[in-house]
């Protein structure tokens, strides 16, 4: 059974059908690419899956459970993390703090802490233990991305490529089973893109399933096990990189109709 | 004269408590609330009714007042689940007006426009304070100011504060980090309302009377000005803001020229503060203090190592 | 079909009253909605702009007022006063935008809102300082004795409110839908950067929006003044109610503002009669409507629910 799948997922904005009854299946430990021309509905598909937008109809299943109606924070807590096409870091917080926020809810241990609000104010011992966990895990993820020496820098002051990495680090700090990346290579130079490719593979090797939207075909064709193609909200093809590359509909969607 | 200065510092203290509560909502969480006067009114009237009709003591009444105000904080906090910026501001304004309208018209409990008089003072160490005992009042009220300051400091330096900061920066990103933003926003509202309720209760007990017209929209604006003037997101700055605003509004009386200074100048001053501060110094006189949570946490957990 | 045991002539009477009230709300609501459509912020000072224009019209009218010159003259200077009020409000609206809002266009959302609240307080108090807090009677420029229709009465002023309201709203709708400037306005409210790229002078459009919205508010102000006098805080409550009307209709939506105004006017009138809500709590109706609509349908009744684009 796929780790995550959608059933007839649809999202309309007024007259625009951004996602048209799409079924996708994401298998564990895979890297799946989601491609399609601008406005194809890729980001909207991500949004409806991660709870930042609600579908007009259809369902999303994760680990066998229907998560369609869950609010974003519960979806994240269930093990789904994401990044954003136009980076949404906490700009005026430090690099370290950004990752700490990613870890925030993992420190919540409902078994010991009942009246949490007061406990925080009182600074109880188990609060400290949770904070320690957040602190140490944040360091772990900063190390993973070589961001540790920039830890006290404000996020907004990082170079663009580093901001993209920080956003991934923050997402990973939520300890997801599946990670959605929306155009992670956008705005990166070729060296940065290369290192990003390696990073994505390292993430997969940690046992985290990756789904990514990308316009950089070299990256997509190189690292994805499976590619899904959207056009005008519809899924027009899926398969291995070579299958998709040679698919007539895909070529048409990207290049326009060639006959006539 | 001395008496008058003491009086001013009593009012500064009461407003500072309410303004620090508002600062938690506006400054730290980034939600614009325009009904702090409404929460003050709820606190003041709860105390007035409990002490006159039910002959309760002041301290119990104060606690209950705080909780009733925070109950209404939850009530008005729930719309914040769905409202952003300006919409929220208007909804809170509407709420403040509803509170005032209800107080004005609920004659059987609130005595309508006349207000409630003859509220007994609090008893402390066996004596009952009246409005005349200003030095004692100063001490009591500034103890509450200090306690409020400390209370908010604890919240802000904790993980809760970190989450509030993230929500203020980018609510959508915060929710996709697994933060239950609704819970935190309602929490901020509730706490801010609680503090306003306490301030209102002190207000009622000190004046030994309450009247509905006191708690109007201008009072909400004045409290907001305190937080904005000092610097949003900084409790100490809020106290400074309260000192400046109350002194500025009482200056004519202090200098004995209140008969030639029309009362409108005061409010024009509040208006100017808002406009000019927004254009030239939106961070306030002192400005926000950016905490470094990594350092705070590191210190906090250092004794766990052993 | 008498649901609430109200005699049908009374029902008609309340309908007339509700519609006139609603027309006033609609006129004011248009200003909120147009500004929100373009700048995505609530012009809190809108009610005070209305008040200032009304004072201008009032003083102009009484400067020229001379009962010995006959009814036609009185009507003439009243119309002139209406125009003066519109011009005064329009200028004030444009100036306020330039001084207090424009520098804040790129600031965080809280900033322009707080600035607008500041402006509204300044204006109301300046008016109190210069014109006094006592309310001034603005006499009807015509004989306002009521006429009988089907057992209920309608005053000439009510008729005028309905007529003027209808003309202004129809004019605005035509302007926005049919003229080049109106189209530029819609384009700007839909997508400011793109509008700018297409050569639309966005600053001009913003000024124009403020001018039109403020002028419409001034008309409403003068019409209110005839019924309820002129005073420094006359715009505050009317402004708030009209804002609620704009929200009810779906803020940013011109037809919505008109509809919202009418709905609110009717709700307030009938709320008092049918639900027996005491007059003192009348304002509570509007605010409860506001909170309810924000909870149930925050984008208003005419707008589709659209979530923030991520
Ligand atoms: N909040 C929204 N309101 C209205 N329309 C929207 C909204 N979000 C997306 N759309 C529309 O839905 C369609 C799909 O947009 P989406 O952002 O999902 O495309 P995309 O595939 O991510 O494109 P890109 O490669 O440019 O990022 C577009 O036509 C877009 O205009
Ligand atoms: Mg996209």
């Amino acid at each position: 059974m796929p780790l995550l799948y959608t059933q007839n997922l649809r999202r309309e904005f007024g007259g625009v059908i951004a996602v048209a009854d799409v079924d996708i299946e994401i298998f564990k430990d895979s890297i799946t690419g989601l491609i399609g021309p601008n406005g194809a509905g890729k980001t909207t598909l991500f949004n409806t899956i991660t709870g930042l937008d609600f579908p007009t109809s259809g369902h999303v299943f994760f680990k066998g459970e229907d998560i369609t109606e869950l609010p974003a924070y519960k979806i994240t807590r269930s093990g789904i993390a994401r990044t954003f096409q136009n980076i949404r870091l906490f700009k005026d917080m430090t690099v370290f703090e950004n990752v700490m926020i990613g870890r925030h809810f993992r420190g919540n241990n409902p078994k010991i802490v009942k009246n949490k609000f007061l406990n925080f104010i009182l600074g109880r011992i188990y609060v400290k233990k949770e904070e320690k966990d957040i602190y140490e895990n944040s360091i772990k993820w900063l190390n993973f991305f070589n961001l540790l020496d920039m830890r006290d820098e404000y996020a907004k002051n990082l170079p663009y490529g580093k901001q993209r990495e920080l956003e991934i680090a923050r997402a990973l700090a939520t300890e997801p089973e599946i990670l959605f990346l929306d155009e992670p290579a956008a705005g990166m130079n070729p060296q940065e893109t290369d290192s990003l490719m390696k990073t994505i593979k390292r993430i997969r090797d940690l046992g985290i399933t990756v789904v990514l939207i990308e316009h950089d075909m070299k990256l997509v064709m190189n690292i994805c096990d499976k590619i899904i193609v959207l056009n005008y909200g519809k899924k027009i093809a899926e398969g291995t990189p070579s299958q998709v590359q040679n698919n007539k509909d895909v070529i048409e969607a990207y290049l326009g109709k060639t006959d006539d | 004269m001395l008496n008058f200065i003491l009086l001013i510092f009593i009012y500064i203290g009461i407003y500072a408590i309410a303004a620090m509560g508002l600062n938690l909502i506006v400054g730290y969480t980034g939600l614009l609330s325009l009904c702090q006067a409404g929460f003050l009114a709820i606190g003041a009237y709860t105390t007035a009714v409990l002490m006159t009709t039910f002959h309760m003591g002041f301290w119990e009444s104060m606690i209950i007042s705080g909780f009733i105000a925070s109950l209404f904080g939850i009530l008005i906090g729930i719309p914040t689940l769905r409202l952003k910026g300006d919409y929220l501001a208007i909804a809170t304004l509407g709420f403040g007006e509803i509170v005032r309208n209800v107080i004005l018209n609920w004659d059987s409990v609130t005595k309508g426009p006349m207000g409630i008089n003859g509220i007994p003072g609090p008893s402390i160490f066996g004596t009952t304070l009246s409005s005349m005992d200003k030095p004692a009042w100063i001490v009591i009220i500034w103890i509450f100011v200090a306690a409020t300051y400390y209370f908010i400091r604890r919240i802000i330096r904790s993980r809760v504060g970190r989450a509030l900061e993230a929500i203020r920066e980018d609510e959508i990103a915060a929710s996709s980090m697994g933060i239950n933003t609704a819970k935190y926003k309602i929490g901020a509202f509730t706490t801010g309302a609680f503090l306003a309720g306490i301030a209102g209760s002190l207000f009622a007990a000190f004046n030994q009377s309450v009247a509905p017209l006191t708690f109007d929209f201008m009072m909400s604006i004045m409290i907001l000005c305190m937080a904005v003037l000092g610097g949003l997101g900084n409790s100490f700055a809020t106290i400074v803001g309260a000192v400046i605003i109350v002194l500025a509004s009482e200056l004519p009386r202090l200098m004995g020229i209140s008969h030639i200074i029309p009362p409108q100048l005061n409010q024009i001053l509040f208006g100017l503060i808002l406009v000019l501060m927004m254009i030239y110094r939106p961070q306030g006189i002192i400005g926000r203090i950016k905490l470094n949570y990594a350092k705070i946490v590191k210190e906090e957990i250092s004794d766990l190592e052993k | 079909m008498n649901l609430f045991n109200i005699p049908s002539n009374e029902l008609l009477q309340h309908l007339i009253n509700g519609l006139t009230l609603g027309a006033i709300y609609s006129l004011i609501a248009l200003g909120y909605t147009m500004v929100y459509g373009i700048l995505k912020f609530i012009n809190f000072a809108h009610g005070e702009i209305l008040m200032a224009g009304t004072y201008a019209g009032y003083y102009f009218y009484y400067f020229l007022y001379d009962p010995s010159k006959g009814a036609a003259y009185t009507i003439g200077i009243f119309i002139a006063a209406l125009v003066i009020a519109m011009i005064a409000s329009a200028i004030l609206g444009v100036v306020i935008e330039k001084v207090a809002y424009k520098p804040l266009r790129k600031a965080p959302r809280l900033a322009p809102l707080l600035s607008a609240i500041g402006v509204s307080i300044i204006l109301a108090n300046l008016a109190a300082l210069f014109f006094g807090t006592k309310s001034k009677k603005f006499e009807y420029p015509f004989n306002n004795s009521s006429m009988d229709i089907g057992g209920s009465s309608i005053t000439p002023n009510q008729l005028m409110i309905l007529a003027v309201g209808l003309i202004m709203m129809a004019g605005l709708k035509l302007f926005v839908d049919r003229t080049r400037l109106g189209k530029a306005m819609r384009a700007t409210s839909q997508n400011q950067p793109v509008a700018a790229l297409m050569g639309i002078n966005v600053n001009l459009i913003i000024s124009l929006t403020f001018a039109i919205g403020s002028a419409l508010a001034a008309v409403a102000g003068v019409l209110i003044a005839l019924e309820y006098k002129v005073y420094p805080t006359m715009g505050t409550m009317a402004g708030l109610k009209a804002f609620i009307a704009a929200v009810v209709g779906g803020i940013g939506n011109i037809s919505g503002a008109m509809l919202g105004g009418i709905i609110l006017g009717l709700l307030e009138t009938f709320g008092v009669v049918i639900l027996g809500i005491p007059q003192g709590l009348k304002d509570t109706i509007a605010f409860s409507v506001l909170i309810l609509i924000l909870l149930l349908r925050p984008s208003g009744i005419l707008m589709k629910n659209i979530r923030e684009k991520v």
Side-chain angles (χ1 to χ4, degrees):
Chain A
M1 192 174 77
L3 178 62
L4 182 143
Y5 62 97
T6 64
Q7 268 179 359
N8 293 318
L9 203 62
R10 186 181 185 86
R11 177 62 165 122
E12 298 174 13
F13 295 105
V16 182
I17 303 170
V19 175
D21 307 316
V22 169
D23 292 333
I24 61 167
E25 293 183 329
I26 309 292
F27 289 92
K28 193 162 163 34
D29 294 332
S30 65
I31 300 180
T32 307
L34 183 59
I35 63 170
N38 290 105
K42 306 179 294 291
T43 300
T44 307
L45 181 61
F46 267 27
N47 289 347
T48 45
I49 292 174
T50 55
L52 292 182
D53 195 358
F54 292 104
T56 312
S57 60
H59 294 272
V60 182
F61 291 89
F62 177 54
K63 292 192 279 187
E65 278 179 47
D66 189 341
I67 58 163
T68 321
E69 299 289 323
L70 292 186
Y73 81 92
K74 282 195 180 156
I75 290 183
T76 307
R77 290 178 182 200
S78 75
I80 296 177
R82 69 168 293 170
T83 64
F84 297 88
Q85 181 170 350
N86 25 9
I87 306 177
R88 298 188 81 131
L89 287 167
F90 306 112
K91 294 191 190 68
D92 288 307
M93 295 176 86
T94 65
V95 168
F96 201 107
E97 285 165 346
N98 267 276
V99 183
M100 284 170 94
I101 292 293
R103 187 79 196 163
H104 191 84
F105 76 91
R106 288 285 169 207
N108 282 343
N109 188 340
K111 276 189 211 110
I112 24 177
V113 189
K114 257 273 163 325
N115 192 347
K116 257 177 271 154
F117 188 70
L118 277 183
N119 280 318
F120 286 131
I121 297 162
L122 299 174
R124 306 290 271 273
I125 186 81
Y126 37 78
V127 174
K128 283 189 180 176
K129 281 188 180 147
E130 290 177 356
E131 290 287 271
K132 186 163 182 249
D133 164 83
I134 292 176
Y135 188 84
E136 284 165 0
N137 257 286
S138 301
I139 291 186
K140 183 182 98 189
W141 288 115
L142 288 174
N143 259 328
F144 189 85
F145 286 91
N146 271 326
L147 282 166
L148 200 57
D149 39 333
M150 297 182 184
R151 49 184 279 177
D152 288 325
E153 207 56 69
Y154 287 121
K156 64 179 173 194
N157 295 338
L158 291 191
Y160 197 78
K162 288 280 171 203
Q163 291 197 14
R164 287 241 174 252
E165 287 187 350
L166 175 56
E167 219 192 6
I168 303 176
R170 184 181 70 173
L172 286 172
T174 66
E175 258 180 42
E177 286 174 54
I178 182 165
L179 175 66
F180 287 84
L181 303 171
D182 196 343
E183 303 198 13
M188 284 189 172
N189 61 35
Q191 291 96 306
E192 285 175 325
T193 308
D194 269 350
S195 111
L196 177 73
M197 269 200 274
K198 293 196 192 90
T199 309
I200 293 175
K201 283 186 186 148
R202 274 166 70 212
I203 294 171
R204 193 256 322 265
D205 294 342
L206 292 172
I208 297 167
T209 308
V210 179
V211 184
L212 59 96
I213 296 176
E214 202 31 82
H215 286 297
D216 184 328
M217 285 307 142
K218 180 171 159 261
L219 185 148
V220 177
M221 297 302 162
N222 258 320
I223 64 171
C224 293
D225 309 308
K226 181 173 106 177
I227 292 173
I228 298 170
V229 191
L230 285 189
N231 193 24
Y232 292 113
K234 288 201 189 69
K235 184 173 84 176
I236 56 168
E238 76 179 299
T240 61
S242 56
Q243 283 171 337
V244 165
Q245 260 169 323
N246 298 318
N247 183 302
K248 199 170 97 290
D249 292 337
V250 177
I251 297 169
E252 208 168 80
Y254 271 94
L255 302 176
K257 265 195 165 60
T258 42
D259 51 21
D260 147 292
Chain B
M1 188 66 192
L2 176 68
N3 230 344
F4 187 57
I5 292 178
L6 289 180
L7 179 71
I8 285 182
F9 273 85
I10 287 172
Y11 278 119
I12 289 175
I14 291 175
Y15 283 124
I17 295 169
M20 281 190 277
L22 183 68
N23 186 33
L24 185 69
I25 304 172
V26 185
Y28 288 112
T29 321
L31 306 169
L32 181 51
S33 159
L34 297 174
C35 61
Q36 201 66 346
F39 293 133
L40 251 115
I42 292 170
Y45 268 89
T46 309
T47 296
V49 171
L50 288 180
M51 290 183 74
T52 55
T53 313
F54 297 98
H55 307 290
M56 260 194 202
F58 170 69
W59 303 107
E60 308 89 279
S61 307
M62 184 181 72
I63 304 282
I64 297 176
S65 300
F67 279 106
I68 301 244
S70 57
L71 219 66
F72 280 94
I74 297 176
L75 199 74
I76 187 68
I78 290 171
T80 66
L81 300 179
R82 312 185 47 168
L83 301 184
K84 287 182 310 196
D86 318 14
Y87 280 75
L88 173 66
I90 297 287
T92 57
L93 192 162
F95 173 75
E97 287 300 310
I98 292 176
V99 168
R100 211 161 58 95
N101 260 306
V102 168
I103 288 179
L104 261 171
N105 287 283
W106 196 8
D107 289 7
S108 57
V109 174
T110 63
K111 307 235 166 60
M114 284 170 13
I116 299 174
N117 297 310
I119 303 169
S123 53
I124 187 162
F125 304 128
T127 55
T128 302
L129 290 184
S130 82
S131 303
M132 294 297 132
D133 305 311
K134 294 209 176 58
W137 269 108
I138 285 251
V139 174
I140 292 176
I141 282 172
W142 281 84
I143 286 176
F144 276 99
V145 173
T148 305
Y149 178 85
Y150 184 70
F151 176 62
I152 289 183
R153 185 186 140 92
R154 286 308 294 242
I155 297 175
I156 291 313
R157 291 173 68 89
S158 79
R159 230 168 71 189
V160 177
R162 217 155 64 217
L164 294 182
E165 189 172 330
I167 291 170
R168 192 186 70 235
E169 290 248 330
D170 188 333
E171 195 179 328
I172 288 177
S175 71
S176 76
M177 289 299 111
I179 291 177
N180 184 350
T181 53
K183 187 181 85 179
Y184 282 101
K185 289 198 291 182
I186 292 185
F189 241 102
T190 310
T191 313
F194 177 83
L195 291 169
I198 298 286
S201 175
L202 289 166
F203 187 96
F206 171 69
N207 285 312
Q208 306 196 312
S209 67
V210 284
L213 294 179
T214 321
F215 306 100
D216 59 357
F217 179 57
M218 273 316 296
M219 188 195 247
S220 289
I221 293 296
M222 186 175 87
I223 296 172
L224 180 65
C225 277
M226 293 170 180
V228 169
L229 182 67
L232 288 172
N234 179 341
S235 293
F236 175 73
T238 303
I239 300 178
V240 174
V243 171
I244 297 175
I245 297 266
V246 175
L247 276 183
S249 15
E250 297 296 342
L251 203 62
R253 267 210 284 171
L254 254 178
M255 305 197 330
I257 51 168
S258 57
H259 51 288
I260 47 172
I261 302 282
Q264 281 85 20
L265 278 186
N266 220 327
Q267 310 205 340
I268 292 178
L269 178 77
F270 297 158
L272 278 176
I273 286 178
L274 283 176
V275 178
L276 295 179
M277 291 302 279
M278 282 307 116
I279 295 178
Y280 297 108
R281 210 176 155 75
Q283 74 275 36
I285 297 175
I286 303 181
R288 186 183 291 282
I289 294 182
K290 174 70 186 94
L291 299 174
N292 184 329
Y293 285 105
K295 291 212 172 86
I296 293 175
V297 171
K298 192 172 180 195
E299 264 166 45
E300 208 173 80
I301 62 176
S302 58
D303 54 337
L304 275 181
E305 312 285 291
K306 296 159 241 164
Chain C
M1 91 119 236
N2 205 332
L3 282 170
F4 303 101
N5 288 324
I6 301 173
S8 62
N9 62 327
E10 271 185 40
L11 207 63
L12 182 64
Q13 182 69 65
H14 297 312
L15 197 65
I16 293 170
N17 295 348
L19 283 177
T20 8
L21 186 62
I24 299 260
Y25 288 155
S26 299
L27 276 179
I28 312 173
L30 285 169
Y32 283 111
T33 266
M34 288 164 63
V35 167
Y36 196 93
I38 289 192
L39 290 180
K40 301 287 172 284
F41 109 103
I42 297 168
N43 179 15
F44 226 92
H46 193 56
E48 278 62 40
I49 293 174
L50 169 153
M51 172 273 298
T54 310
Y55 268 104
Y58 170 86
Y59 280 110
F60 178 85
Y61 181 74
Y62 280 103
F63 183 68
L64 295 178
Y65 186 64
D66 186 351
S68 66
K69 290 195 177 158
Y73 174 80
T74 314
I75 299 273
I77 60 167
F78 176 73
I79 293 173
L82 205 58
V83 174
I84 292 287
M86 289 171 76
I87 294 174
S89 278
I91 293 175
L92 185 64
V94 171
V95 170
I96 289 174
E97 193 275 324
K98 293 263 182 266
V99 175
Y101 306 156
K102 196 173 171 213
L104 298 172
R105 261 185 225 162
K106 295 211 164 58
R109 283 179 70 108
L110 272 187
L113 188 61
L114 287 175
S115 181
I117 293 174
V119 171
S120 97
I121 295 167
I122 294 172
L123 288 180
N125 284 286
L126 279 180
L129 214 54
F130 288 116
F131 311 134
T133 46
K134 256 187 69 186
S135 43
K136 301 183 190 306
K137 181 117 188 70
F138 201 143
E139 301 283 347
Y140 296 106
F142 38 72
N143 179 354
N144 197 40
S145 48
S146 53
M147 300 170 277
D148 188 88
I149 41 165
S152 30
S153 64
I154 185 165
T155 63
N157 192 41
Q158 283 182 315
L159 270 179
M160 180 172 74
I161 292 176
L162 290 175
V164 171
L166 209 66
I167 294 169
M168 292 284 164
M169 289 189 251
L172 179 72
K173 195 84 184 125
L174 279 178
F175 171 78
V176 173
D177 287 349
R178 299 286 163 79
T179 65
R180 270 182 62 103
L181 270 176
K183 281 180 188 146
M185 222 157 151
R186 277 189 302 162
T188 312
S189 86
Q190 260 165 28
N191 193 331
Q192 202 163 305
V194 170
L197 279 179
M198 306 211 315
I200 293 173
N201 182 343
V202 170
N203 281 327
L204 180 79
I205 295 296
I206 291 176
S207 293
L208 184 70
T209 307
F210 270 85
I212 295 177
S214 305
L216 291 176
V219 174
V222 172
L223 296 176
I224 302 173
L226 293 178
E227 299 268 352
Y228 303 104
K229 298 184 182 171
V230 191
Y231 52 98
T233 52
M234 66 180 286
T236 316
M237 196 43 84
L240 280 175
K241 299 278 190 63
F243 171 76
I244 295 172
V247 173
V248 168
I251 198 150
N253 181 328
I254 288 183
S255 316
M258 301 179 191
L259 185 66
I262 302 293
I263 292 178
L264 190 63
L266 291 174
L267 272 180
E268 282 201 335
T269 315
F270 282 99
V272 171
V273 198
I274 296 173
L275 304 176
I277 294 169
Q279 274 290 336
L281 285 178
K282 193 172 146 223
D283 292 344
T284 312
I285 300 176
F287 290 114
S288 312
V289 168
L290 172 75
I291 292 180
L292 272 181
I293 203 109
L294 286 177
L295 280 177
L296 300 178
R297 207 174 159 78
S299 48
I301 45 181
L302 277 197
M303 301 274 269
K304 294 164 206 85
N305 277 306
I306 292 177
R307 308 185 99 236
E308 186 182 349
K309 209 173 163 180
V310 209

